[in-house]
Amino acid sequence: MRRINLALQGGGAHGAFTWGVLDRLLEDETLEIAGISGTSAGALNGAALKAGLLAGGRGAARKRLDRLWDQVGAIGDFRMLPWMQAFLPMLRFWQTASAALLPISPQAIAAQLYSPYVFGNSWQNPLEPVVRDLDFRHVCAAEGPRLFVSATNVRTGRIKVFEGQDIGPEALLASACLPTVFQTVEIGGEAYWDGGYSGNPALFPLYEPDLPDDILVVSINPMRTEDIPGTPLEIQNRINEISFNASLLGELRAISFVRRLIAEGRMERGSMKAVNVHMISDDRLMNELSAESKLAPTPYLLERLKAAGRAAAEQFLQDGGTKIGQEGSVDLRSLLRQTTGSFGNG
């Protein structure tokens, strides 16, 4: 049995890619998932995965993930509240009349006018019914994979990692709280936003001695994009991608540095964990998809992402998966050079 930790990124509806990855990994009975660190959509995936595993094993976990994304697909646009529907005919007319100057969908236009605080206490989080449908007896259980959920403290900007009994519905909603879309989530007198701002996902909780050395990162925020964003939504999306990847790159840089010190004999083996990093991603697909699609899940989009995730996981199992327990399948030096320049040579 090959033991592995999962590090699941957030990225709105694009988290359905991770659904596909997990669906394929669960078919491989030689893999044991020991730890899960998730942020935003990654946290929802991780919670559904653990709840399903404890409820009935691998098959039940796959069904639980299917249910999660069926529910997400039924929401529609995360930003579209009933009152906004009334504006769509006017916005469509506006878009048609000025198509050459304004190549933006009506929903994207409406999103620029939207603030989740307009409704005060009457606002309802569209993800809440989805989250509360999870069985938290299993999500919070001491048995099964260790689950870590990250959110960002609004006042301090620091990461908050929830584990065990602290992972209630509010922790998952906090982890997925993109502040331009959802109202701040309060837990224990503290205010929280999306965990992606401080850890997407956080790797350090997976360094615990009882967890394996191998961490598989499921990445859904592209490290590089060729097109320069032009619309307000595209610009905000790329800002989020850059900031959400920054914490991950920082942790990967630290892992690379520690591994180099151990390899050069400047650090005693066993004094720090020599993490083996693996990664599953599809940057080509993620760059093809619009920024708007992260906030507007449709059944077609979700199924397309699931299929892509399964295909990427299949490729990983054939290639990098053979290195689990032996060495990392990601060339960290090359990755860090590509994304951070000469300072990534650790």
Side-chain angles (χ1 to χ4, degrees), residues 47-58:
L49 171 62
K50 178 170 181 175
L53 284 171
L54 290 183
R58 295 171 184 269

Side-chain angles (χ1 to χ4, degrees), residues 14-32:
H14 292 184
F17 176 83
T18 304
W19 169 30
V21 170
L22 298 178
D23 190 67
R24 177 62 187 91
L25 294 181
L26 286 165
E27 292 178 346
D28 189 334
E29 297 191 0
T30 69
L31 280 180
E32 177 190 346

Side-chain angles (χ1 to χ4, degrees), residues 1 23 25 29 57 68 122 157 167 186 199 203 206 232 239 242 261 269 289 293 306 340:
M1 185 70 71
D23 190 67
L25 294 181
E29 297 191 0
L68 170 72
S122 66
I167 307 178
E186 297 273 348
L203 302 186
L206 301 173
I239 290 171
I242 292 170
L261 292 179
R269 290 187 180 274
L289 297 175
S293 66
K306 180 187 180 184
T340 61

Side-chain angles (χ1 to χ4, degrees), residues 6 10 17 41 47-48 59 63 75 86 109 119 121 152 170 202-203 205 212 224 256 259 263 265 316:
L6 300 178
F17 176 83
K63 290 180 180 178
I75 293 175
I109 300 169
F119 301 96
N121 293 333
T152 302
E170 291 76 17
L203 302 186
R224 178 182 175 85
S256 180
R259 292 189 63 87
F316 166 76

Side-chain angles (χ1 to χ4, degrees), residues 31-52:
L31 280 180
E32 177 190 346
I33 299 169
I36 307 167
S37 179
T39 294
S40 196
L44 269 63
N45 275 316
L49 171 62
K50 178 170 181 175

Side-chain angles (χ1 to χ4, degrees), residues 95-336:
Q95 183 190 31
T96 301
S98 57
L101 299 176
L102 194 67
I104 310 173
S105 73
Q107 288 85 354
I109 300 169
Q112 303 307 311
L113 308 174
Y114 170 71
S115 166
Y117 297 94
V118 168
F119 301 96
N121 293 333
S122 66
W123 180 85
Q124 295 182 333
N125 191 323
L127 284 175
E128 186 162 357
V130 178
V131 168
R132 293 192 180 278
D133 185 57
L134 292 164
D135 188 339
F136 281 87
R137 295 173 302 170
H138 291 144
V139 173
C140 300
E143 300 80 16
R146 292 184 65 181
L147 177 62
F148 306 93
V149 170
S150 299
T152 302
N153 186 304
V154 179
R155 294 185 176 90
T156 67
R158 296 175 180 170
I159 190 170
K160 167 68 175 179
V161 179
F162 297 90
E163 182 185 7
Q165 295 299 315
D166 290 336
I167 307 178
E170 291 76 17
L172 291 180
L173 291 172
S175 184
C177 181
L178 196 63
T180 56
V181 180
F182 304 125
Q183 287 189 7
T184 299
V185 178
E186 297 273 348
I187 303 175
E190 290 291 348
Y192 293 99
W193 280 349
D194 196 296
Y197 295 109
S198 52
N200 192 32
L203 302 186
F204 66 86
L206 301 173
Y207 301 162
E208 293 290 336
D210 62 309
L211 294 176
D213 293 342
D214 293 80
I215 297 178
L216 171 57
V217 179
V218 183
S219 172
I220 58 176
N221 288 289
M223 296 288 184
R224 178 182 175 85
T225 182
E226 297 302 328
D227 296 331
I228 304 301
T231 69
L233 187 59
E234 289 171 348
I235 292 169
Q236 184 60 55
N237 177 67
R238 188 55 186 159
I239 290 171
N240 285 340
E241 286 177 343
I242 292 170
S243 61
F244 282 14
N245 280 333
S247 56
L248 174 61
L249 289 171
E251 290 202 78
L252 291 177
R253 193 177 300 112
I255 290 172
S256 180
F257 182 63
V258 168
R259 292 189 63 87
R260 189 180 71 182
L261 292 179
I262 293 174
E264 294 175 352
R266 292 192 286 162
M267 178 179 289
E268 184 179 352
R269 290 187 180 274
S271 58
M272 293 190 71
K273 180 169 283 194
V275 176
N276 299 323
V277 178
H278 311 272
M279 187 173 291
I280 296 177
S281 63
D282 189 341
D283 281 7
R284 180 194 57 78
L285 172 61
M286 296 306 175
N287 276 310
E288 285 180 4
L289 297 175
S290 68
E292 187 178 335
S293 66
K294 287 186 176 181
L295 301 176
T298 64
Y300 171 77
L301 171 68
L302 299 183
E303 286 297 332
R304 180 186 178 191
L305 284 161
K306 180 187 180 184
R310 280 189 58 89
E314 178 67 38
Q315 190 64 52
F316 166 76
L317 290 172
Q318 293 177 13
D319 300 331
T322 61
K323 299 182 179 180
I324 294 173
Q326 304 174 37
E327 60 180 337
S329 57
V330 173
D331 183 347
L332 288 178
R333 286 195 175 190
S334 176
L335 174 66
L336 294 170

